[in-house]
Amino acid sequence: MSLRIYLLGQFNLQANDRSLDLPSRPAQSLLAYLALNAGISQRREKLAGLLWPEGSDSNARGYLRQALWRLRKALAGGALDVDAYLQVSDITVTFAEEAPYWLDAAQLLEPLAPDC
């Protein structure tokens, strides 16, 4: 089973052509950032500061935990193996580059066919 992530236009997350529910804007932003940087471990404090720059460190870390919980819940709701997509430790969070997923924004980086 693979995941499809649509960032261009309206955010949409799908597994097997079925939309997954991820209504939290911070969780959507977290997934977008992680997927755009797949395979690169992101330190939790960096993510917290990036997504909640005006909050205290303690509040930002709490918000990050909440966004991760929502993201994990959405992936599990699509019958996906969450651990195949997200590698989470006490220090870092990584979107697995080898996970079966498709990202619309990544298509912009692919070269055009010669007849275009």
Side-chain angles (χ1 to χ4, degrees):
M1 186 175 299
S2 69
L3 180 67
R4 294 180 71 81
I5 306 167
Y6 296 87
L7 302 177
L8 304 173
Q10 185 174 358
F11 179 88
N12 191 8
L13 189 59
Q14 295 181 353
N16 283 343
D17 297 323
R18 194 186 88 174
S19 287
L20 303 180
D21 189 31
L22 186 59
S24 165
R25 185 77 68 177
Q28 292 173 3
S29 297
L30 175 62
L31 175 60
Y33 186 80
L34 292 172
L36 287 167
N37 294 283
I40 301 171
S41 294
Q42 304 294 328
R43 294 188 63 87
R44 282 178 173 256
E45 65 266 14
K46 175 185 172 185
L47 292 171
L50 180 69
L51 295 171
W52 297 277
E54 64 284 334
S56 70
D57 288 345
S58 176
N59 285 345
R61 286 192 305 270
Y63 295 145
L64 177 61
R65 281 191 301 275
Q66 192 173 56
L68 278 168
W69 177 82
R70 286 188 169 126
L71 179 53
R72 293 176 66 86
K73 182 179 174 186
L75 294 176
L80 296 171
D81 177 8
V82 176
D83 295 331
Y85 291 90
L86 294 176
Q87 299 160 349
V88 180
S89 76
D90 290 341
I91 299 170
T92 62
V93 179
T94 309
F95 188 88
E97 188 174 31
E98 66 280 356
Y101 75 99
W102 177 87
L103 177 64
D104 64 352
Q107 303 307 302
L108 297 175
L109 301 175
E110 292 188 12
L112 293 175
D115 60 335
C116 291

